[in-house]
């Protein structure tokens, strides 16, 4: 990939990879240790935050970041007032140190569609931090998409419906009586998501986040809630597409896996695409009530398969997928840029943190 250096600030060199300006890349212009990097981040808050506001993501590449504690020291250096400790998202994760988690424990063949972290919450994370403790042999990129561009480019008819009605989410979760950690459609149990089996605590968390709870069976739980679908950045005042339709709509995964097959051209990606197409067809025939994870317009109107496909096409038009290098650290403005995960082979360990 071609690279053109734009600005050198003290000993940090800034550049872009190829034609894209997502992300802006920070690299050391001379040998420095981790303390030099964290000191620079602390001292130059205005500079890197302005870049983050403009470009949406910063990739720190070539710095001596070797383990989870090094990564956490970078989180501390940002001086974010509230680093994440409690994860209310959908992917299964393991806590590594206090503010650092594994990015996802989903199987390597499992694609993760583009989404803004926890966009279904009233107050989603402000910043996301990723660290490549071990980059995979092939694939495994964390693709990025500028949600401000998605907002501009999505079919106006779809956008008008969301403006008028918002977005409604429905998620079904198994509970402690189910030993499996996740299935194809239910990525983890409700006790894992809420971090407790205490029903009073579950209700307290749900009330805070405007979740409607419906219990059934032994301990199955359905969660319903609504959001606007778009968000205005509190500082830049830009408007971004900001919802989980790409992740929760039954059709989105099918569109995603066929695009991944075209990109990766492997037997495995072809097999996954065929299998998921068949399973999704069965789901579609069974009707929306069979969907464990579902998303509609806020008035209950279905987002059609055609509408979802057009949304996916817009995402892939703007998607940037840069291969990880071990030691990379990525900061994302979660109100402006989405992320996902492409299937991979070989050992891979990406860690994540966030600020509320």
């Amino acid at each position: 990939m071609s690279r053109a250096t734009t600005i050198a600030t003290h000993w940090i060199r800034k550049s872009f990879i190829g034609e894209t300006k997502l992300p802006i890349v920070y690299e050391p212009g001379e040998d420095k240790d981790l303390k030099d990097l964290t000191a620079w981040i602390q001292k130059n808050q205005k500079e890197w935050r302005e870049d983050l506001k403009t470009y949406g993501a910063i990739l720190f590449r070539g710095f001596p970041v070797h383990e989870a504690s090094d990564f956490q020291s970078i989180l501390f250096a940002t001086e974010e007032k509230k680093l994440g400790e409690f994860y209310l998202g959908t992917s299964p994760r393991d806590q590594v140190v206090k503010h650092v988690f594994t990015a996802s424990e989903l199987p390597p063949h499992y694609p993760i569609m583009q989404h803004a972290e926890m966009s279904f919450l009233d107050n989603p994370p402000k910043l996301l931090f990723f660290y490549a403790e071990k980059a995979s042999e092939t694939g495994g990129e964390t693709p990025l998409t500028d949600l401000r561009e998605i907002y501009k480019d999505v079919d106006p008819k779809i956008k008008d419906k969301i403006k008028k009605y918002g977005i409604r989410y429905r998620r079904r979760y198994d509970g402690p009586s189910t030993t499996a950690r996740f299935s194809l459609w239910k990525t983890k149990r409700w006790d894992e998501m809420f971090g407790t089996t205490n029903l009073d605590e579950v209700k307290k968390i749900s009330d805070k986040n405007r979740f409607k709870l419906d219990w059934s069976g032994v301990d199955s739980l359905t969660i319903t809630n609504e959001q606007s679908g778009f968000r205005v950045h509190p500082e830049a005042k830009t408007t971004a597409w900001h919802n989980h339709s790409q992740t929760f709509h039954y059709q989105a995964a099918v569109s995603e896996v066929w695009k991944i097959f075209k990109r990766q051209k492997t037997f495995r990606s072809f097999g996954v695409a065929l299998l998921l197409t068949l399973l999704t067809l069965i789901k579609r025939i069974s009707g929306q009530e069979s969907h464990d994870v579902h998303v509609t317009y806020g008035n209950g109107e279905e987002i059609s398969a055609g509408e979802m496909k057009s949304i996916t096409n817009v995402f892939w038009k703007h998607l940037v997928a840069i291969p990880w290098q071990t030691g990379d650290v990525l900061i994302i403005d979660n109100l402006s840029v989405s992320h996902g995960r492409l299937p991979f082979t070989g050992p891979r360990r990406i860690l994540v943190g966030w600020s509320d």
Side-chain angles (χ1 to χ4, degrees), residues 209-269:
N209 291 280
R210 297 190 301 110
F211 292 167
K212 177 188 174 185
L213 306 182
D214 292 302
W215 298 91
S216 62
V218 178
D219 60 2
S220 294
L221 173 62
T222 299
I223 300 174
T224 307
N225 73 299
E226 297 179 5
Q227 285 295 343
S228 67
F230 310 130
R231 291 192 198 268
V232 176
H233 197 285
E235 297 171 9
K237 305 305 178 186
T238 50
T239 303
W241 177 273
H242 209 269
N243 60 71
H244 256 59
S245 60
Q246 272 283 101
T247 309
F248 289 170
H249 196 280
Y250 74 93
Q251 180 65 34
V254 174
S255 299
E256 187 85 356
V257 292
W258 283 111
K259 289 184 181 296
I260 289 171
F261 167 65
K262 289 179 182 179
R263 177 185 175 89
Q264 295 187 337
K265 295 182 174 65
T266 64
F267 286 114
R268 185 180 74 170
S269 60

Side-chain angles (χ1 to χ4, degrees), residues 5-172:
T5 300
T6 56
I7 301 173
T9 169
H10 192 32
W11 55 273
I12 286 185
R13 190 170 62 236
K14 299 182 184 182
S15 63
F16 301 103
I17 296 176
E19 299 300 317
T20 181
K21 291 189 176 181
L22 177 66
I24 185 171
V25 183
Y26 285 15
E27 294 176 291
E30 55 190 85
D31 289 338
K32 294 286 184 177
D33 60 26
L34 182 64
K35 288 184 178 179
D36 292 314
L37 173 60
T38 55
W40 187 92
I41 291 172
Q42 283 181 303
K43 184 178 179 181
N44 296 275
Q45 295 276 339
K46 183 177 180 181
E47 181 175 344
W48 66 262
R49 287 182 185 276
E50 190 63 31
D51 281 346
L52 190 63
K53 185 169 66 174
T54 301
Y55 301 108
I58 301 171
L59 176 63
F60 289 84
R61 173 162 283 180
F63 295 94
V65 186
H66 302 299
E67 56 188 26
S69 59
D70 294 342
F71 176 47
Q72 184 166 252
S73 69
I74 292 174
L75 270 60
F76 289 146
T78 65
E79 298 182 349
E80 283 292 297
K81 294 179 180 178
K82 191 176 180 183
L83 294 172
E85 295 181 52
F86 178 61
Y87 175 60
L88 203 56
T90 57
S91 289
R93 288 179 174 175
D94 295 326
Q95 191 168 23
V96 180
V97 293
K98 186 174 183 181
H99 300 292
V100 175
F101 297 74
T102 55
S104 177
E105 293 299 315
L106 292 171
H109 64 273
Y110 203 104
I112 299 175
M113 281 71 77
Q114 288 292 300
H115 62 284
E117 191 69 20
M118 296 183 252
S119 69
F120 46 82
L121 299 181
D122 288 343
N123 296 293
K126 175 185 174 185
L127 301 182
L128 292 183
F129 306 90
F130 288 95
Y131 164 52
E133 188 175 73
K134 172 66 178 176
S136 55
E137 294 174 7
T138 64
E141 299 95 334
T142 297
L144 306 175
T145 309
D146 191 325
L147 295 170
R148 297 164 295 190
E149 295 301 317
I150 302 301
Y151 177 78
K152 295 175 185 176
D153 220 7
V154 161
D155 184 337
K157 293 180 181 178
I158 297 174
K159 196 156 57 176
D160 286 345
K161 287 183 185 178
I162 294 177
K163 284 179 179 178
K164 185 174 182 179
Y165 301 116
I167 293 284
R168 180 180 298 168
Y169 302 108
R170 188 190 71 217
R171 296 172 281 158
R172 291 193 184 120

Side-chain angles (χ1 to χ4, degrees), residues 198-215:
N198 184 309
L199 298 187
D200 290 336
E201 189 64 24
V202 169
K203 187 177 185 309
K204 180 180 177 182
I205 295 170
S206 297
D207 289 345
K208 182 179 179 181
N209 291 280
R210 297 190 301 110
F211 292 167
K212 177 188 174 185
L213 306 182
D214 292 302
W215 298 91

